[in-house]
Amino acid sequence: MNAAIAGFGAGPVVRLLKKYVRFARGVDDLTVAEKVYAIAGLLGIVTTFLLVMSVQTVRLQNSYRNTQASSAAAAINSGLVNASIYAIVMDSRGIYLRR
């Protein structure tokens, strides 16, 4: 099995797994304070990542809202043009609408 894995160039993967196992075994040697600091640091990194992602989401939403507003204005304008053309055609046929 190892020969088959090595044939596909899995050497770097095996080295990475060995480093991970070495790291996991080294966690047992840490003090409680170091583990708490590591968890707090990880939570800080995750919080920062979520903050950046939320700011990017707000920017994209604002862009989409502006695009939708311009599209709605174009739809209203094309509706007005359509109504004007309809009125001209009906006027040329002699059909008058009463209001």
Side-chain angles (χ1 to χ4, degrees), residues 38-92:
I39 291 171
L42 181 65
L43 288 176
I45 290 170
V46 169
T47 303
T48 305
F49 176 74
L50 291 175
L51 175 70
V52 169
M53 293 304 296
S54 66
V55 168
Q56 180 65 18
T57 302
V58 169
R59 287 181 183 169
L60 286 174
Q61 183 65 30
N62 192 21
S63 172
Y64 294 149
R65 189 176 297 132
N66 290 337
T67 303
Q68 182 186 17
S70 65
S71 175
I76 290 171
N77 288 337
S78 66
L80 292 174
V81 169
N82 187 28
S84 297
I85 292 172
Y86 181 76
I88 291 169
V89 168
M90 291 299 121
D91 187 42
S92 68

